[in-house]
Amino acid sequence: MIRFLAKGLWRDPTRSLFPFLTVTTGAMVTVLMQTYLAGISSNLSWSSARFSSGHVKVISRAAAKAGDRASNELALAGVNQLLEGLRRDAPDLAWAPRIRFGGLIDVPDDQGLTKAQAPVAGLGVELIRADAPDRPVLALESAIVRGRAPVAPGEALISEDLARHLNIGPGAKATLIGSTMHGAMATANFTIAGTLRFGVRAMDRGTMVADIRDIQRALEMDDAAGELLGFYPDTLYRRAAAESTADSFNARHARDADEFGPTMVAMSRLPGIVEFLDLTDRVSVGIVAAFTFVMSIVLWNAGLIGTLRRYGEIGVRLAFGEDKGRLYRAMLLESLLIGLVGSVVGTLLALGPAYWLQSRGWDIGYMMQNASLMIQTVIRAQITPATFVIGFLPGLLATGIGTAVSGRGIYNRQTASLMKELEV
Amino acid sequence: MTTPSESPLIRTRDLVKAYPMEQGRLVALNRVNLTFEKGEFAGLVGPSGSGKTTLLNIVGSLDQPTEGSAEVLGHRIETLSHAEAAELRSRHIGFIFQTHNLFPVYTVFENVEFPLLVLGMPAALRTQAVRDALDWVKLGDRANSKPAQLSGGQSQRVAIARAIVKRPALVLADEPTANLDAENSRRILETMVQLNRDLQTTFLFATHDDKVIRHLRRTIRLNDGSVVADTSTEPTPQLAGYRP
Ligand SMILES: Nc1ncnc2c1ncn2[C@@H]1O[C@H](COP(=O)(O)OP(=O)(O)O)[C@@H](O)[C@H]1O
Ligand SMILES: [Mg+2]
């Protein structure tokens, strides 16, 4: 009997092909949306993590209180000892000290007179040491447009856009004019080793990246840093673990009441981020629900039409002694089979483009010239474990619901009146 | 499912079928008392709307009486559950309809095989039974055709093969020749007469076609749901002497 039904499915395209195409399309779109959202979620939170918040970050209490207005006067001191403790107590995170600074970049001509000048937002990070955690986090190599990454003290990178604005390239000399930790004026000379584009608007306007030792020396911040960022090496944020790491760190340092003492903040406790993480989850669920609903209606109608078209068959099957319940179950089984095959095919079809978006990305920067958010302008999908199952939800639910609803008509009708309508 | 040999194949007692209407009710069958023995070749005749199909449906356990009883092969139709009625049809009753109602996507062979699948018959037995049934209706060479490739008469013969492939005790045929021309009607009837004789299959028709009525050995006339005549006749001479 199963073979008999399978043959019918195979030979009758209106019974199989249309629902199959509907399910395949629905599953495909659902999977693409899910990978796209996972990509956005991961990209956005990773952009925030790598450029500003870390998965967790240690700053001074004073800086935490000052928030966005924190300057290097509120930096952490005794950084080497702190790092040692963090590497011991939270070994699952990679720890990277950073200093943010503002200033002017000044490009001299042959006579040493200012040829061009522009404000910069600087970042001092560990650049030179081969195993410095910030090298993979910032992925400087892949962000370099011209030139190369710094290999020696005194070398720095600047944004490609800034370099064009200043009309300089790799090899050029430049002077940073800033202020020390104590508020005095500071200058330092750099050689531009290369130019950068991260694909993140806010980081690509006027950024300078230099080795943290050079910055510490220039800004008189010996053994000090603005922040110590902790990263999970696979870049995936682990909310519960990050929050408990922060809690136990803060408990350990609770007795030391110094306002410049350290405090750790988990990314998910920063305003904006937690709402965002929750939102993308809810949007994913919403999209799957919406597709399931729309497809159920389409398949229900298709099921009704199919059922009308198959009245003759249904009547004959009842007359020849197939039980109504069994007939109903057989039709459900048929449609679930289609749902299953359609979901598999739709998922497979979506994995191709999703994989492409994951590995290559699609740059939409040209559409977002004026965005100041830390949004990566390259759309990247992310294939997660959920990707492989999410397409089956609308695929199976919609075919199941669609057939169940349309089939009930037959089930509830008197056999005799069904025969009457058949005109058999 | 055994039938006590002394009881008739079908017996109705004061059988009433009524449909509720906006005002009162429509009585489709009015106190019908009929008995059919095994091996009969009988027909319900009468004008359209006289209750022929309604009676066939109740005897075929597709419908339930409103009052009275219908006993078929020892089963009281009015007491059967859906599943029990389906079981009775599956084992013992074959149906032939006005239109052949073959499954369009299946071959002739598969269409005829279908009732055996419902019965759960093993594959080896099925193949032989389908071959035999197609031979009876002289369509052994069309086993692999699709219904669309057959003429109307051929399709109706496939429908007969499908009705008798499981060798049911009872075949119910509702206007089986209504869509056929004279020549095809004659061949269909010859086939059924022969099956009735060779397999002792009981045939009960609903018809108002003279070509069919001529071949009946018993004619029950219905009018407005009541039996108005019940006559046994000798079969027509040319068919009595018919040999394949
Ligand atoms: N399901 C039904 N609901 C209401 N009336 C019905 C139904 N089925 C049959 N009837 C009525 O019962 C009467 C007998 O119908 P039927 O048995 O089909 O007659 P016949 O087959 O002799 O033409 C008709 O008046 C018909 O309209
Ligand atoms: Mg009728």
Side-chain angles (χ1 to χ4, degrees):
Chain A
M1 193 52 127
I2 303 277
R3 264 190 51 202
F4 177 85
L5 296 174
K7 274 186 214 159
L9 271 185
W10 183 248
R11 291 179 196 165
D12 183 357
T14 55
R15 198 180 301 182
S16 47
L17 193 63
F18 176 73
F20 167 80
L21 289 178
T22 310
V23 171
T24 302
T25 311
M28 192 171 103
V29 174
T30 307
V31 168
L32 278 176
M33 289 300 245
Q34 186 271 340
T35 55
Y36 170 68
L37 282 170
I40 287 187
S41 170
S42 177
N43 263 348
L44 277 166
S45 67
W46 178 237
S47 306
S48 286
R50 65 197 279 242
F51 293 120
S52 80
S53 66
H55 286 143
V56 295
K57 75 174 167 185
V58 178
I59 50 179
S60 73
R61 293 198 183 100
K65 202 176 284 172
D68 287 344
R69 288 163 294 125
S71 71
N72 282 330
E73 289 165 39
L74 309 180
L76 287 165
V79 164
N80 287 331
Q81 198 193 331
L82 261 176
L83 278 173
E84 215 172 278
L86 286 168
R87 286 181 181 132
R88 186 185 59 234
D89 298 330
D92 48 335
L93 288 146
W95 292 97
R98 289 187 186 176
I99 295 174
R100 299 173 176 283
F101 57 90
L104 285 174
I105 189 161
D106 184 285
V107 183
D109 62 12
D110 298 342
Q111 277 78 48
L113 297 170
T114 296
K115 188 174 76 176
Q117 213 177 49
V120 287
L123 200 56
V125 299
E126 282 191 290
L127 273 185
I128 315 266
R129 192 159 61 85
D131 60 349
D134 250 342
R135 290 181 56 157
V137 165
L138 292 175
L140 292 176
E141 272 77 7
S142 62
I144 282 178
V145 180
R146 288 184 286 161
R148 55 164 174 75
V151 292
E155 292 186 336
L157 298 166
I158 59 169
S159 301
E160 169 69 12
D161 291 358
L162 180 62
R164 286 188 184 282
H165 174 70
L166 296 171
N167 200 19
I168 56 175
K173 306 275 185 221
T175 306
L176 170 70
I177 304 166
S179 58
T180 69
M181 196 173 165
H182 313 291
M185 183 166 121
T187 60
N189 294 323
F190 288 95
T191 303
I192 304 303
T195 65
L196 282 173
R197 184 176 289 137
F198 287 108
V200 176
R201 274 287 128 200
M203 288 298 292
D204 285 338
R205 292 222 169 119
T207 298
M208 170 179 186
V209 179
D211 189 61
I212 194 167
R213 310 262 167 261
D214 291 337
I215 302 300
Q216 282 171 332
R217 199 171 311 117
L219 307 185
E220 295 174 18
M221 290 179 70
D222 204 26
D223 199 22
E227 57 200 20
L228 307 177
L229 301 190
F231 296 99
Y232 292 104
D234 61 4
T235 79
L236 295 179
Y237 184 59
R238 292 163 182 77
R239 186 169 177 172
E243 291 179 358
S244 93
T245 299
D247 290 343
S248 56
F249 178 91
N250 292 335
R252 266 199 307 281
H253 291 81
R255 267 180 298 151
D256 153 23
D258 181 0
E259 70 161 316
F260 289 95
T263 182
M264 191 186 290
V265 186
M267 177 167 80
S268 45
R269 292 202 176 125
L270 292 172
I273 304 247
V274 59
E275 292 87 341
F276 171 74
L277 292 175
D278 291 347
L279 181 73
T280 52
D281 280 356
R282 275 201 298 272
V283 170
S284 288
V285 170
I287 283 176
V288 171
F291 270 88
T292 306
F293 181 70
V294 170
M295 279 165 59
S296 296
I297 292 193
V298 171
L299 291 172
W300 168 36
N301 280 298
L304 280 179
I305 293 164
T307 311
L308 287 176
R309 233 177 44 83
R310 289 173 70 185
Y311 253 29
E313 175 196 333
I314 290 161
V316 170
R317 284 169 69 170
L318 289 173
F320 278 90
E322 245 194 298
D323 181 50
K324 262 206 282 194
R326 192 172 132 172
L327 186 80
Y328 187 51
R329 283 191 296 278
M331 290 179 66
L332 263 182
L333 191 75
E334 264 182 33
S335 57
L336 286 179
L337 194 75
I338 290 169
L340 189 70
V341 175
S343 303
V344 169
V345 174
T347 302
L348 288 177
L349 286 179
L351 281 176
Y355 183 76
W356 185 83
L357 281 175
Q358 174 168 287
S359 54
R360 298 275 309 278
W362 174 30
D363 194 339
I364 55 160
Y366 63 92
M367 294 187 226
M368 311 180 67
Q369 291 299 337
N370 301 313
S372 59
L373 289 166
M374 277 218 173
I375 292 179
Q376 211 153 331
T377 54
V378 177
I379 290 190
R380 282 255 159 86
Q382 186 178 4
I383 294 170
T384 67
T387 306
F388 297 95
V389 292
I390 203 154
F392 289 78
L393 285 176
L396 290 179
L397 279 178
T399 45
I401 294 170
T403 312
V405 175
S406 58
R408 280 219 80 78
I410 302 178
Y411 194 69
N412 290 337
R413 207 157 307 183
Q414 286 293 316
T415 307
S417 53
L418 195 69
M419 303 296 291
K420 185 115 197 133
E421 283 164 60
L422 285 173
E423 285 290 300
V424 290
Chain B
M1 289 215 179
T2 51
T3 314
S5 54
E6 67 275 13
S7 72
L9 194 76
I10 302 167
R11 168 181 284 150
T12 68
R13 288 196 177 92
D14 291 334
L15 180 63
V16 173
K17 181 71 186 182
Y19 295 103
M21 286 310 205
E22 276 169 33
Q23 297 131 350
R25 55 182 207 166
L26 189 148
V27 179
L29 292 176
N30 189 11
R31 298 186 161 271
V32 172
N33 289 287
L34 284 170
T35 304
F36 297 90
E37 302 295 338
K38 184 170 163 51
E40 284 205 49
F41 199 78
L44 308 171
V45 304
S48 185
S50 56
K52 305 182 293 292
T53 298
T54 305
L55 182 54
L56 278 197
N57 280 347
I58 292 173
V59 168
S61 80
L62 289 167
D63 206 351
Q64 297 254 325
T66 312
E67 289 163 31
S69 84
E71 195 177 317
V72 177
L73 292 139
H75 298 272
R76 300 279 292 261
I77 298 295
E78 62 274 17
T79 65
L80 296 181
S81 68
H82 269 307
E84 287 164 344
E87 171 90 1
L88 174 67
R89 293 196 296 273
S90 153
R91 287 184 187 283
H92 298 296
I93 304 175
F95 289 87
I96 299 167
F97 310 108
Q98 177 173 335
T99 50
H100 57 76
N101 268 299
L102 297 178
F103 305 143
V105 299
Y106 295 97
T107 63
V108 164
F109 186 97
E110 289 161 345
N111 266 281
V112 176
E113 188 185 23
F114 175 75
L116 305 179
L117 292 172
V118 178
L119 265 180
M121 185 185 278
L125 295 178
R126 280 202 314 262
T127 306
Q128 193 53 51
V130 174
R131 293 252 157 77
D132 290 346
L134 286 175
D135 285 344
W136 283 326
V137 299
K138 303 195 178 59
L139 284 171
D141 55 335
R142 303 306 299 268
N144 294 317
S145 304
K146 288 280 175 65
Q149 299 166 316
L150 304 181
S151 70
Q154 286 173 326
S155 298
Q156 196 59 314
R157 272 149 65 201
V158 176
I160 294 174
R162 179 175 64 182
I164 51 105
V165 66
K166 64 189 175 194
R167 311 257 184 129
L170 175 63
V171 171
L172 301 174
D174 195 350
E175 315 268 9
T177 57
N179 293 329
L180 298 180
D181 59 26
E183 173 59 15
N184 274 309
S185 299
R186 190 184 61 79
R187 293 184 60 174
I188 295 270
L189 273 156
E190 283 170 3
T191 307
M192 293 198 277
V193 166
Q194 190 190 347
L195 286 165
N196 169 255
R197 191 185 56 217
D198 293 353
L199 300 179
Q200 305 295 287
T201 310
T202 306
F203 277 82
L204 181 54
F205 294 85
T207 186
H208 51 247
D209 181 353
D210 283 336
K211 299 190 290 297
V212 178
I213 296 169
R214 231 184 296 145
H215 299 296
L216 297 174
R217 291 205 300 273
R218 179 180 171 196
T219 308
I220 294 134
R221 185 161 298 277
L222 290 180
N223 202 3
D224 277 343
S226 299
V227 177
V228 294
D230 185 347
T231 42
S232 290
T233 46
E234 279 308 299
T236 48
Q238 72 262 45
L239 258 163
Y242 171 80
R243 285 289 177 272

